[in-house]
Amino acid sequence: MKRLSGWSLIKIYTVLIYVWMFTPIVAVVLLSFNSQQFGSFPMEGLSFRWYVKLSQNASILDAFKNSLVLGSLTSIMTTAIAIPAAMAFVRYDFIGKEALNTLLLAPIMIPEVVLGVALLIFIRWLQQPKSFALLLIGHVVLTLPYVLLVVQARLVGIKRVYEEAAQTLGASPLQTFWAVTFPLLAPAIFAGMLFSFTISFDDVTATLFWATAQNQTVPVKIFGMLRDSISPEINALGAVMIFLTVSLPLAAGYISRRFARGSGA
Amino acid sequence: MEKEKNPGLVQFRGVMKRFGDVLAVEKTDLDIPEGSLVTLLGPSGCGKTTLLRMVAGLETPTEGDIYIKGNRINDVPIHKRNLGMIFQNYALFPHKTIFDNVAFGLKYRNIPKDQIKEKVSRALEMVRLPGVENRMPSQLSGGQQQRIALARAIVIEPDVLLMDEPLSALDENLREEMRLEIDNIQRMLGVTSIFVTHDQREALSMSDKIVVMEGGRKQQEGGPEEVYNNPANHFVADFLGHSNFVDGVIQSRDGDGYRVKLEDGNELMAEGGDWREGDAVEVVVRAQKLDIVPRDSHQTDDAVNCFFGKIKERSYMGGEVSYFVELENGTVLHVIGIVKTKPFRRGDPVAVTAPPRHCKLLRKES
Ligand SMILES: Nc1ncnc2c1ncn2[C@@H]1O[C@H](COP(=O)(O)OP(=O)(O)O)[C@@H](O)[C@H]1O
Ligand SMILES: [Mg+2]
């Protein structure tokens, strides 16, 4: 059995890891279609009853709405901050540039628990109550590094000579941005917004610290439901979340590729 | 009556540019006459691009002033300078159609839509690419893209047309065609132009004036013939064409010329300049200006500036042949001769004559 050493072992190991990672996900999706209250394999019947029940659960629908609103606002705000920040970092020189860049990217390196507690301590110090605004600010801080990195990377790839050409032709720096830089940056901005939305949409750890009873998000809601029941509704909800977080970026990738081909760039 | 042309439509006055520790352009004075095409010529890194970009406003002079039509423009923002610039890699906006590319500058000039359309199509005709309005830049070849870039720059009727090595990204065979195109259009429109290149053939063939640069400093300024025939220093003589350099000392004045004692022991007659006995000089002779004949057909032994030697290397270039001739005392001369009958072969004994009026004297640079 000399052949079963080296690469073969690594291959088997890899496959096992993937099985270990994906089995629960597959199980959740399968069980969400189970007709029985207590799921066990083999399943005894196929039904959509948990999805129907889910769509009638007001508190879950509420959480869904919260998640969508929060995710959308987060992605818009984050992108609105990331674009000028990326322009400043890539196109201009100023004192403290490195420090500011590191600061904005820091949330990527800090554990979410720490970030969650830190923001809470901060608003405590400001003597403010927890609110939707806090949650929004938290998510912006959380997702900004990713958007900033995506936009910066693209901006580095956009040759300055296009902007220089536009300016020599008579466009002011602001007009140049809208006529040249922004359209060339658009795919990255779009990708960044989606990135930001999905991260916000399925974040649990930090959101657990920031959410109040009124503005629970779906992941937080699931977390809560898991604590005191094991309703199969959770499986259905989980399946919906999985579907959204996987299909959204895929769709975005497809759209942006078509977009890029259309513009001939 | 034709209007008097402004001899200094663009003026550099003590312009200097430093990037951190790098001195890119030393204090420079330069005038660009109205309607002319002036070439900044020099090897890579000599500061040509920097000088050009300072006119455009893409770089700010560390010191000195730049004037266009008599107005100091140092503090005028780029987009208010009314200049056309052509870049090495075309720089067409990849996300815009050819029409939108060419119309770009017009959109910021409050020109009515129908006039924009007309101006764009006229500009496209001028660069001989009519009807490509709806294509994307990526659908055009490099040469076509550069012509669109030219159309985009001239359609705004700029005060000055700036070109930074516009031909260097093109294939060899397209380059000549595009050079003629630029030359024709520039003359037709009479637009004052500054052309940056490291290619002496481009510079010599299309310029009204050449500014030879090296190490951030202007070395010589003049018409193509003047710069080529009367190089001001060793660098210019060496950079333009193929030259032979021999060090020597002025021995005596002899009529219009000077008798020079060369370091290899030979004596040579040279003309031009104002020298004193004992001055250390450098004799420059262009490879094309040396006459080469078979040794046995050489007529008189007392001809001036005649040296004997053997062909050491030769390379046939079609039409002309480049020889390296080793003289009896070991000095090697570069001679470029037109092939009349049959070229010399390696080892052939030859006589090389350097007409005194083609032997230029330069002060020996230490
Ligand atoms: N933005 C810049 N930062 C630092 N150094 C520069 C910059 N632009 C040019 N230089 C330096 O200035 C000198 C002249 O450059 P450039 O004008 O581009 O030369 P050329 O166009 O003749 O090749 C070079 O030594 C180059 O390295
Ligand atoms: Mg250059």
Side-chain angles (χ1 to χ4, degrees):
Chain A
M1 286 314 261
K2 247 182 104 182
R3 296 243 49 114
L4 202 70
S5 57
W7 277 112
S8 320
L9 279 177
I10 289 177
K11 274 184 203 160
I12 292 167
Y13 182 69
T14 310
V15 168
L16 286 177
I17 293 270
Y18 274 105
V19 168
W20 181 75
M21 272 170 47
F22 281 106
T23 308
I25 295 176
V26 174
V28 164
V29 175
L30 287 177
L31 287 176
S32 73
F33 294 106
N34 193 358
S35 54
Q36 302 300 307
Q37 169 84 35
F38 297 104
S40 64
F41 288 105
M43 290 182 352
E44 284 158 35
L46 213 62
S47 95
F48 283 95
R49 73 182 263 218
W50 305 118
Y51 287 90
V52 174
K53 202 154 174 228
L54 191 66
S55 69
Q56 290 157 353
N57 185 331
S59 77
I60 285 179
L61 288 182
D62 225 36
F64 224 96
K65 202 190 81 200
N66 283 340
S67 274
L68 286 179
V69 171
L70 180 66
S72 308
L73 287 179
T74 300
S75 71
I76 290 168
M77 278 186 60
T78 305
T79 315
I81 296 171
I83 295 171
M87 283 295 285
F89 289 140
V90 177
R91 290 290 193 254
Y92 297 93
D93 262 324
F94 54 90
I95 301 163
K97 177 163 141 171
E98 290 305 315
L100 189 60
N101 199 1
T102 311
L103 188 71
L104 291 185
L105 294 180
I108 264 185
M109 293 164 278
I110 298 171
E112 268 185 50
V113 183
V114 177
L115 203 63
V117 173
L119 195 56
L120 279 187
I121 293 173
F122 183 64
I123 64 154
R124 182 69 184 272
W125 178 70
L126 290 178
Q127 303 194 319
Q128 296 294 315
K130 284 212 261 181
S131 65
F132 182 76
L134 168 79
L135 194 53
L136 183 57
I137 292 170
H139 277 210
V140 169
V141 171
L142 202 62
T143 62
L144 184 61
Y146 299 93
V147 184
L148 196 55
L149 285 175
V150 173
V151 175
Q152 269 186 17
R154 175 73 190 137
L155 200 53
V156 168
I158 297 175
K159 278 182 279 166
R160 227 179 184 147
V161 72
Y162 296 128
E163 291 159 5
E164 293 179 344
Q167 290 195 34
T168 60
L169 289 166
S172 70
L174 196 64
Q175 288 166 329
T176 298
F177 176 78
W178 287 115
V180 176
T181 319
F182 186 79
L184 292 175
L185 207 52
I189 292 173
F190 184 61
M193 285 183 84
L194 264 154
F195 227 172
S196 168
F197 180 87
T198 30
I199 292 170
S200 160
F201 194 72
D202 63 19
D203 180 75
V204 192
T205 318
T207 312
L208 272 176
F209 288 94
W210 300 331
T212 62
Q214 288 76 46
N215 51 36
Q216 296 212 335
T217 63
V218 181
V220 171
K221 184 83 192 164
I222 295 178
F223 202 76
M225 286 161 78
L226 281 174
R227 251 186 320 219
D228 44 43
S229 78
I230 30 169
S231 160
E233 261 179 89
I234 298 175
N235 291 334
L237 189 53
V240 171
M241 290 294 284
I242 289 164
F243 174 76
L244 282 179
T245 43
V246 172
S247 65
L248 225 54
L250 285 182
Y254 176 74
I255 291 169
S256 70
R257 228 170 303 131
R258 288 204 42 160
F259 185 72
R261 208 175 311 139
S263 77
Chain B
M1 199 185 87
E2 203 169 316
K3 221 178 96 223
E4 192 80 11
K5 296 253 163 135
N6 182 349
L9 188 107
V10 182
Q11 296 173 305
F12 296 84
R13 290 292 173 262
V15 173
M16 187 267 260
K17 177 69 186 181
R18 195 193 292 281
F19 293 106
D21 289 340
V22 180
L23 185 58
V25 175
E26 286 187 30
K27 256 180 186 300
T28 300
D29 290 318
L30 181 64
D31 281 5
I32 313 288
E34 183 175 357
S36 68
L37 191 151
V38 175
T39 301
L40 306 180
L41 173 67
S44 171
C46 72
K48 316 177 288 288
T49 296
T50 306
L51 204 54
L52 191 77
R53 287 170 63 86
M54 286 193 284
V55 180
L58 298 168
E59 304 289 356
T60 322
T62 310
E63 269 176 30
D65 302 307
I66 301 175
Y67 299 86
I68 296 182
K69 292 181 169 171
N71 303 314
R72 183 173 176 276
I73 54 153
N74 288 44
D75 306 317
V76 178
I78 308 166
H79 63 284
K80 296 209 173 123
R81 294 192 181 194
N82 195 36
L83 306 170
M85 180 137 179
I86 300 180
F87 300 85
Q88 189 171 344
N89 293 306
Y90 331 131
L92 296 183
F93 307 123
H95 60 296
K96 288 182 180 291
T97 62
I98 299 304
F99 178 87
D100 287 337
N101 264 281
V102 178
F104 191 89
L106 299 173
K107 297 228 167 98
Y108 298 100
R109 284 174 166 72
N110 293 324
I111 292 172
K113 268 219 168 79
D114 48 332
Q115 273 190 43
I116 290 186
K117 230 174 143 183
E118 196 189 306
K119 279 174 188 281
V120 169
S121 79
R122 237 187 304 139
L124 289 177
E125 266 164 36
M126 197 171 280
V127 297
R128 296 192 294 114
L129 280 173
V132 296
E133 277 94 339
N134 295 323
R135 299 220 212 139
M136 298 306 289
S138 57
Q139 292 170 297
L140 301 184
S141 71
Q144 290 173 323
Q145 289 190 45
Q146 195 58 295
R147 285 201 246 157
I148 299 300
L150 180 60
R152 182 176 72 174
I154 58 173
V155 78
I156 59 171
E157 297 169 23
D159 289 338
V160 187
L161 182 61
L162 307 170
M163 296 172 267
D164 190 0
E165 313 224 7
L167 308 177
S168 60
L170 303 177
D171 291 341
E172 182 72 35
N173 50 344
L174 271 176
R175 221 175 281 173
E176 177 71 8
E177 193 188 321
M178 186 68 197
R179 186 185 64 67
L180 286 170
E181 195 95 37
I182 291 176
D183 204 8
N184 282 336
I185 289 174
Q186 192 272 331
R187 261 160 242 290
M188 193 157 71
L189 299 175
V191 56
T192 310
S193 306
I194 309 181
F195 186 98
V196 162
T197 184
H198 63 264
D199 185 321
Q200 48 166 310
R201 279 179 309 163
E202 283 172 18
L204 290 168
S205 61
M206 65 196 300
S207 315
D208 295 309
K209 175 156 98 174
I210 296 178
V211 179
V212 185
M213 293 180 64
E214 153 70 358
R217 195 183 312 161
K218 184 172 83 176
Q219 302 290 329
Q220 189 174 3
E221 178 185 342
E225 279 141 50
E226 149 137 33
V227 173
Y228 187 81
N229 290 324
N230 297 310
N233 58 30
H234 180 101
F235 174 80
V236 177
D238 200 22
F239 188 72
L240 283 160
H242 304 277
S243 298
N244 293 287
F245 295 94
V246 192
D247 288 347
V249 176
I250 300 283
Q251 264 195 328
S252 61
R253 189 168 188 134
D254 189 346
D256 281 346
Y258 295 92
R259 188 172 295 280
V260 185
K261 176 94 181 154
L262 301 179
E263 61 171 8
D264 64 6
N266 281 324
E267 252 184 35
L268 181 127
M269 289 297 297
E271 284 177 14
D274 183 18
W275 307 95
R276 252 162 261 289
E277 205 174 299
D279 282 351
V281 292
E282 192 175 28
V283 182
V284 191
V285 199
R286 294 255 177 239
Q288 288 93 339
K289 304 287 187 187
L290 290 166
D291 292 325
I292 185 166
V293 292
R295 177 150 190 182
D296 45 21
S297 79
H298 184 67
Q299 302 294 328
T300 50
D301 276 344
D302 56 277
V304 283
N305 296 354
C306 179
F307 308 101
F308 299 114
K310 280 197 316 239
I311 303 285
K312 189 170 174 237
E313 306 268 357
R314 59 159 248 191
S315 42
Y316 183 68
M317 302 188 295
E320 49 187 37
V321 189
S322 166
Y323 301 106
F324 286 91
V325 179
E326 182 162 19
L327 302 185
E328 282 155 355
N329 56 21
T331 305
V332 175
L333 290 181
H334 185 192
V335 184
I336 296 178
I338 294 167
V339 186
K340 289 187 190 114
T341 49
K342 85 177 197 290
F344 297 106
R345 278 168 315 188
R346 206 163 291 184
D348 283 355
V350 292
V352 177
T353 315
R357 67 195 170 88
H358 290 311
C359 296
K360 306 286 178 195
L361 295 173
L362 297 175
R363 188 165 302 283
K364 179 78 195 123
E365 292 160 28
S366 42

